[in-house]
Amino acid sequence: MTETQTVTVKTIGFIVNPIAGMGGATGLKGTDGKVVLDRAVLLGAKPIAPARAETFLLELAPFKHYIYLLVGAGDMGETCAKKLGYSYTVIGKRRQQTSSKDTKNIAKSIVEAKVDLLVFCGGDGTARDILKSVDVKLPVLGVPTGVKMHSAVFAVNPKAAARVVYRFLQGELPVREAEIMDVNEQAFREGHLSAVLYGYILSPYEPQLIQVSKLASPTTENEVCNQAAIAVYVIENMQPDILYIMGPGTTTRTIGDLLDQQKTLLGVDLFVNKQIITKDANEEQILQALKGKRARIIVTLIGGQGFIFGRGNQQISAKVIWQVGLENIVIVATESKMQGLKSLKVDTGDPLLDTKVKAQRFQVLIDYSRWKEICVE
């Protein structure tokens, strides 16, 4: 981004959900509800939303003299804004434990203040809270910091979000109605994925920087046959004593089905010698299993979005990927999922790793012994 000489000061509402994303690496698939949050903390989960919020504000910092923020109190926005030297007004009261009620109340105050844009840091649950307070009264942009991010309101990563904000405030981007989607977390943990449309929200649109909503996997006979052909090829090429870290998805589950192993649909499972050794593994379990082992990561991509890391598989963290090595990543996807995709996407939360991944051109297994080369953006 290039600084402009004359820019009118714009007001942005800024809300951070400080617990968003803490259920990712721990394999809990979200943090909706205090019980799940407490369990995530016991499993060693660390806050990730504040760091990603800081990345967003840091990218936007060259223009902070032309921006005024209305921020949530404490860790809901104030802490980041103060650290990076923004001008701001605090909304709400500092709380040791925040809730969705706080998000809704702050969002309502931001709407009443008639800001130019509301930016929130969270996942689909936070997006739903924003929707209830904002509806279509002002444009909204999401900085992805959650576990579930099916909604079309999110930028592809925090830095992309900053670029969208700048271009939108300059009048370069249109707004569109973006779908707000979410899943039932309890059903999600039990292996049932059913994303529900909760409504629409106005959002800046830039197709290279904003993700689309997740597309459901088709269940046609051709799709099933395609998945089976991919699975057969993967199984035939599995090597003895190698740890296979198998990500979520219907295509990877088919590999488990053909091995007569009950792979979880929405979790990460660990295979050795064609047997599951750990089901629904979290980051710590994967790192423990990697000790002294050669390994491969097998992942599929999210339909419509193209993400291979950072959406729904945060258990395969940057630490895990560094240990396994980029040369040991196997991407599998049916031909229907690859249609219309010009590139894959990655958002691991580790800028150096994301840069290294984006420097690669990956071969995606799209059928039995058939590969398609594609870049990562």
Side-chain angles (χ1 to χ4, degrees):
M1 295 184 289
T2 306
E3 190 165 351
T4 304
Q5 293 297 321
T6 56
V7 181
T8 304
V9 174
K10 302 289 186 177
T11 304
I12 299 175
F14 185 60
I15 302 173
V16 179
N17 177 356
I19 66 170
M22 289 180 66
T26 54
L28 296 179
K29 305 174 181 69
T31 46
D32 289 355
K34 186 177 184 303
V35 173
V36 179
L37 175 61
D38 290 345
R39 186 178 170 198
V41 172
L42 285 174
L43 289 170
K46 304 296 182 185
I48 67 168
R52 289 173 74 81
E54 189 174 318
T55 297
F56 163 75
L57 288 183
L58 193 60
E59 184 73 6
L60 200 60
F63 316 101
K64 64 185 177 184
H65 300 298
Y66 311 117
I67 291 170
Y68 191 82
L69 300 179
L70 298 186
V71 301
D75 290 340
M76 295 194 72
E78 177 188 1
T79 302
C80 286
K82 182 177 181 180
K83 180 177 180 180
L84 295 175
Y86 279 81
S87 299
Y88 61 87
T89 294
V90 177
I91 297 175
K93 297 180 180 179
R94 283 176 171 258
R95 301 186 191 280
Q96 190 168 5
Q97 288 191 332
T98 62
S99 68
S100 62
K101 183 178 179 181
D102 295 310
T103 300
K104 294 171 190 172
N105 288 339
I106 293 169
K108 285 178 183 176
S109 296
I110 287 172
V111 170
E112 292 168 1
K114 295 181 169 38
V115 301
D116 296 289
L117 176 68
L118 190 160
V119 178
F120 73 91
C121 302
D124 284 331
T126 313
R128 283 177 60 188
D129 293 336
I130 298 292
L131 173 67
K132 290 175 182 176
S133 296
V134 175
D135 196 28
V136 290
K137 295 170 185 169
L138 60 86
V140 174
L141 178 69
V143 179
T145 63
V147 177
K148 305 164 292 154
M149 283 167 288
H150 297 79
S151 302
V153 72
F154 292 104
V156 297
N157 57 50
K159 289 187 176 182
R163 293 195 288 273
V164 170
V165 168
Y166 176 73
R167 291 189 58 191
F168 174 71
L169 295 181
Q170 287 288 90
E172 297 176 7
L173 299 180
V175 295
R176 64 165 181 171
E177 289 190 341
E179 303 96 333
I180 300 299
M181 313 282 291
D182 200 4
V183 301
N184 181 294
E185 281 196 9
Q186 185 55 44
F188 195 25
R189 293 183 190 100
E190 294 169 359
H192 306 292
L193 175 60
S194 179
V196 176
L197 175 64
Y198 283 88
Y200 295 86
I201 208 162
L202 295 179
S203 186
Y205 182 60
E206 206 293 339
Q208 300 303 313
L209 301 176
I210 301 291
Q211 71 177 42
V212 298
S213 55
K214 181 185 183 297
L215 297 181
S217 298
T219 55
T220 63
E221 183 177 346
N222 286 343
E223 183 77 2
V224 172
C225 290
N226 195 177
Q227 290 174 336
I230 290 169
V232 168
Y233 185 83
V234 169
I235 290 168
E236 288 180 354
N237 287 274
M238 280 183 158
Q239 299 176 26
D241 301 323
I242 292 216
L243 174 69
Y244 287 89
I245 302 165
M246 202 90 66
T250 55
T251 305
T252 48
R253 185 180 63 177
T254 302
I255 298 170
D257 290 343
L258 295 187
L259 288 172
D260 199 24
Q261 299 290 299
Q262 292 187 334
K263 190 205 174 307
T264 58
L265 174 61
L266 302 170
V268 175
D269 300 316
L270 309 182
F271 288 71
V272 174
N273 296 324
K274 301 181 180 179
Q275 301 280 326
I276 292 181
I277 62 167
T278 306
K279 294 186 72 170
D280 205 6
N282 60 34
E283 178 197 33
E284 184 58 33
Q285 289 172 314
I286 298 171
L287 291 172
Q288 287 295 324
L290 275 170
K291 291 180 178 179
K293 283 277 191 185
R294 292 181 299 152
R296 304 277 190 277
I297 295 171
I298 301 180
V299 291
T300 190
L301 51 93
I302 293 182
Q305 296 180 356
F307 279 97
I308 52 174
F309 295 115
R311 297 290 189 274
N313 62 0
Q314 288 96 332
Q315 306 94 311
I316 307 176
S317 64
K319 287 182 181 179
V320 171
I321 298 168
W322 280 121
Q323 287 201 31
V324 174
L326 299 187
E327 70 279 7
N328 292 314
I329 295 172
V330 179
I331 304 170
V332 297
T334 57
E335 294 183 80
S336 66
K337 272 194 172 182
M338 293 295 291
Q339 285 180 359
L341 280 181
K342 296 180 180 179
S343 64
L344 301 178
K345 292 183 173 63
V346 63
D347 183 21
T348 67
D350 181 332
L352 178 58
L353 178 58
D354 285 355
T355 299
K356 285 185 70 71
V357 173
K358 291 174 183 179
Q360 306 285 316
R361 289 190 67 86
F362 285 91
Q363 297 286 338
V364 180
L365 180 64
I366 61 171
D367 207 326
Y368 183 88
S369 193
R370 285 184 55 216
W371 302 81
K372 181 176 181 179
E373 186 176 82
I374 192 168
C375 65
V376 182
E377 290 184 350

